[in-house]
């Protein structure tokens, strides 16, 4: 990966952070496609226990096969599940399907023979960007020719932690929006809090950790801790559990 690739990757990261609400959209995935040099980029939430894809999004929605009859069952053959269980595919790392089997072996899978080959997909690079119990979040990059270079993998692995952070913050923001109305009603009764202390309290109500609150409010972890100390003092509380109960009750 050269300096130009690094600049392009940083541009993508900057664009990711401009809008941290919700999931990755089609435009963001399209930028991944252009940067890596593939035909289609997707991200999916997978269950490694049942080998099922729970959710998926792509920069080409017309080619999202998740609802296609039989595809979910065929996807359980995906070699990435075996690579994950064997330790070949870990958090933040990437692997190409062409690394996991020769053309003939992969071609015998219904996933390739019935769904990917007719659509011109010859290879896929998979990168794990998040793990939460049995579920994982992965980025996938489809290509009409076999093989991904070291440069391709370096670009994807450079993006992985930034995408993970972006999705984590997006999830927290969505939770915050869902809780906003009842929390705001509660905060109306807490006039002793400053505007910043109310911001911290809203994020606590959404389930965010101190470090996540610091990232979202662009302040230090230590400052979050000091805000919480003041909030507990003003409200006569001793811990996060009491604060959460106060702002979410009723």
């Amino acid at each position: 990966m050269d300096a130009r690739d690094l600049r392009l990757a940083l541009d993508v990261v900057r664009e990711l952070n401009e809008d941290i609400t919700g999931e990755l959209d089609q435009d963001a995935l399209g930028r991944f496609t252009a940067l890596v040099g593939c035909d289609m980029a997707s991200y999916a939430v997978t269950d490694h226990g049942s080998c099922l894809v729970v959710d998926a999004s792509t920069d080409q929605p017309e080619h999202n096969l998740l609802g296609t009859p039989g595809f979910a069952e065929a996807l359980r053959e995906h070699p990435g599940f075996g690579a994950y269980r064997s330790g070949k595919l870990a958090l933040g790392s990437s692997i190409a399907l062409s690394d996991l089997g020769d053309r003939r072996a992969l071609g015998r899978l219904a996933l390739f023979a019935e769904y990917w080959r007719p659509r011109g997909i010859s290879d896929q690079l998979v990168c794990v960007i998040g793990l939460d119990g049995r579920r994982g979040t992965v980025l996938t990059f489809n290509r009409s020719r076999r093989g991904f270079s070291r440069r391709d993998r370096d670009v994807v692995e450079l993006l992985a932690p930034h995408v993970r952070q972006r999705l984590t913050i997006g999830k927290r923001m969505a939770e915050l929006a869902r809780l906003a109305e009842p929390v705001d009603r509660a905060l109306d009764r807490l006039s002793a809090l400053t505007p910043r202390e109310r911001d911290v309290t809203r994020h606590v109500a959404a389930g965010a950790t101190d470090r996540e609150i610091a990232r979202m409010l662009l302040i230090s972890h230590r400052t979050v801790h000091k805000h919480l100390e003041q909030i507990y003092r003003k409200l006569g509380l001793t811990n996060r559990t009491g604060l959460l109960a106060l702002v979410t009750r009723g």
Side-chain angles (χ1 to χ4, degrees):
M1 184 170 61
D2 58 22
R4 178 178 179 276
D5 290 328
L6 183 58
R7 286 195 299 271
L8 292 173
L10 291 175
D11 286 342
V12 170
V13 170
R14 190 177 301 109
E15 291 171 357
L16 276 177
N17 291 328
E18 287 178 354
D19 179 11
I20 58 173
T21 59
E23 302 290 352
L24 292 180
D25 60 19
Q26 184 176 341
D27 289 341
L29 292 169
R31 289 192 287 274
F32 296 165
T33 294
L35 179 61
V36 176
C38 60
D39 300 309
M40 185 173 72
S42 307
Y43 88 93
V45 179
T46 64
D47 186 310
H48 294 293
S50 61
C51 294
L52 291 174
V53 173
V54 179
D55 189 22
S57 181
T58 174
D59 64 331
Q60 300 178 35
E62 68 275 16
H63 295 305
N64 189 340
L65 299 176
L66 193 57
T68 303
F71 180 69
E73 186 63 30
L75 200 58
R76 299 176 77 160
E77 301 178 330
H78 196 296
F81 289 116
Y84 169 76
R85 288 192 294 270
S86 68
K88 293 180 180 178
L89 184 59
L91 181 64
S93 70
S94 63
I95 197 166
L97 298 192
S98 52
D99 299 331
L100 301 174
D102 59 33
R103 191 187 303 269
R104 181 174 299 179
L106 292 174
R108 287 195 293 266
L109 299 176
L111 177 62
F112 274 83
E114 298 178 19
Y115 297 97
W116 282 357
R117 185 183 296 151
R119 292 167 175 82
I121 301 171
S122 296
D123 206 352
Q124 184 181 80
L125 188 67
V126 180
C127 181
V128 179
I129 60 172
L131 293 172
D132 181 12
R134 284 172 37 135
R135 291 193 172 186
T137 305
V138 298
L139 286 174
T140 61
F141 301 88
N142 292 346
R143 183 170 276 174
S144 57
R145 65 182 190 277
R146 283 173 63 84
F148 286 87
S149 68
R150 183 64 260 173
R151 175 267 178 198
D152 299 333
R153 299 164 198 254
D154 286 344
V155 167
V156 170
E157 291 171 14
L158 175 65
L159 287 175
H162 298 284
V163 177
R164 178 169 64 250
Q165 177 175 301
R166 163 65 174 74
L167 289 173
T168 298
I169 293 176
K171 181 179 179 181
R172 293 299 190 193
M173 294 297 287
E175 292 173 352
L176 184 61
R178 178 176 57 84
L179 290 169
E181 185 176 345
V183 171
D184 283 344
R185 285 199 299 268
L187 288 175
D188 285 342
R189 301 191 298 272
L190 306 179
S191 58
L193 301 185
T194 67
R196 179 58 90 188
E197 289 166 355
R198 292 183 179 218
D199 289 339
V200 171
T201 302
R202 288 189 181 91
H203 287 293
V204 168
T209 66
D210 289 2
R211 293 193 182 279
E212 289 169 341
I213 294 171
R215 285 199 300 269
M216 288 184 278
L217 296 182
L218 301 178
I219 57 179
S220 70
H221 178 261
R222 182 178 179 82
T223 300
V224 173
H225 185 70
K226 287 185 175 296
H227 281 312
L228 285 171
E229 286 182 339
Q230 289 299 314
I231 292 167
Y232 297 153
R233 182 185 62 78
K234 291 179 179 181
L235 301 181
L237 302 172
T238 58
N239 55 43
R240 203 182 203 90
T241 301
L243 178 60
L244 187 60
L246 177 65
V247 297
T248 57
R249 68 187 180 187

